[in-house]
């Protein structure tokens, strides 16, 4: 298990794995960009989300991974599985939210953080809102399909039921490379 304490990432044996401090610049009203963090090691939850994205690519799914953390502990991890499950809603975020809700035995994920390799789409942003996630950290922006920083910007709408804190850009280069390589291989 992984714990986040005071900016340090600590494994279950109590060893410090990484440390980081979020410093971000505003890009949109509700989105903070972590461009100044690209010099520092990635936080462990984002590394895990990127590992999940890689697993999705190996399975022939669009490489997106998500991890949910509560109280410093990873409680759920998932990657895209629409093809494998024959389910168009089987996005990484939705699967991670379902797993976290089952693990906690409740439908609201108050105090939980979502780490995801790509900006959430409208469906996933809606699920995040309904799950009441406290914070969303995403690696790469999605100008075509995103709904946090792009598109409908769901968390900025007056009808939004819950507005999580949003941080963008952690692991952006890694996520973009994984997506680019995945689609390049498909186009042949």
């Amino acid at each position: 298990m992984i714990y986040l304490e005071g900016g340090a990432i600590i494994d279950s044996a109590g060893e410090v794995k990484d440390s980081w401090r979020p410093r971000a610049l505003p890009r949109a009203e509700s989105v903070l960009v972590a461009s100044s963090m690209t010099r520092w090691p990635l936080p462990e939850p984002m590394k895990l989300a990127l590992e999940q994205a890689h697993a999705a690519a190996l399975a022939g799914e669009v490489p997106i991974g998500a991890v949910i953390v509560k109280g410093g502990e990873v409680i759920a991890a998932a990657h895209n599985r629409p093809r494998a499950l024959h389910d168009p809603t089987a996005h990484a975020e939705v699967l991670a939210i379902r797993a976290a809700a089952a693990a906690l035995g409740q439908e609201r994920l108050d105090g939980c953080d979502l780490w995801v390799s790509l900006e959430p789409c409208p469906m996933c942003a809606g699920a995040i809102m309904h799950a009441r996630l406290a914070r969303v950290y995403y690696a790469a922006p999605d100008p075509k399909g995103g709904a946090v920083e792009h598109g409908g910007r769901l968390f900025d709408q007056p009808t939004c039921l819950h507005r999580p804190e949003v941080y963008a850009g952690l692991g952006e280069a890694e996520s973009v490379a994984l997506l680019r390589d995945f689609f390049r291989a498909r186009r042949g």
Side-chain angles (χ1 to χ4, degrees):
M1 298 199 180
I2 298 159
Y3 300 89
L4 301 174
E5 296 179 1
I9 299 171
I10 303 168
D11 68 15
S12 59
E15 295 182 36
V16 175
K17 298 304 233 179
D18 288 316
S19 63
W20 63 284
R21 294 278 184 241
R23 284 199 316 194
L25 303 171
R27 182 182 284 177
E29 288 179 39
S30 65
V31 178
L32 299 178
V33 179
S35 60
S36 63
M37 294 180 61
T38 57
R39 296 182 302 265
W40 298 339
L42 280 178
E44 193 67 24
M46 187 56 78
K47 287 181 188 175
L48 294 172
L50 290 167
E51 287 173 14
Q52 286 291 319
H54 183 69
L58 292 175
E61 302 277 4
V62 175
I64 301 170
V67 170
I68 295 182
V69 175
K70 181 174 178 112
E73 183 178 346
V74 173
I75 59 171
H79 60 75
N80 267 12
R81 297 186 64 207
R83 289 182 175 185
L85 298 177
H86 308 290
D87 178 358
T89 70
H91 288 198
E93 301 95 322
V94 170
L95 295 175
I97 288 169
R98 289 175 184 164
L104 295 174
Q106 58 191 44
E107 76 279 6
R108 294 212 174 157
L109 302 178
D110 297 316
C112 292
D113 299 338
L114 172 69
W115 298 75
V116 62
S117 61
L118 186 67
E119 177 183 353
C121 72
M123 176 184 69
C124 294
I128 290 163
M129 180 175 48
H130 285 285
R132 305 295 200 270
L133 286 157
R135 282 166 291 284
V136 175
Y137 300 86
Y138 68 84
D142 186 358
K144 285 186 177 180
V148 175
E149 181 180 2
H150 297 92
R153 296 174 54 170
L154 257 56
F155 304 140
D156 291 340
Q157 298 306 314
T159 56
C160 182
L161 302 171
H162 170 76
R163 290 176 178 80
E165 294 175 28
V166 177
Y167 301 90
L170 295 161
E172 180 175 348
E174 295 90 336
S175 181
V176 167
L178 188 56
L179 287 158
R180 182 185 57 237
D181 293 347
F182 176 82
F183 287 112
R184 184 179 292 149
R186 301 283 172 292
R187 291 183 193 118

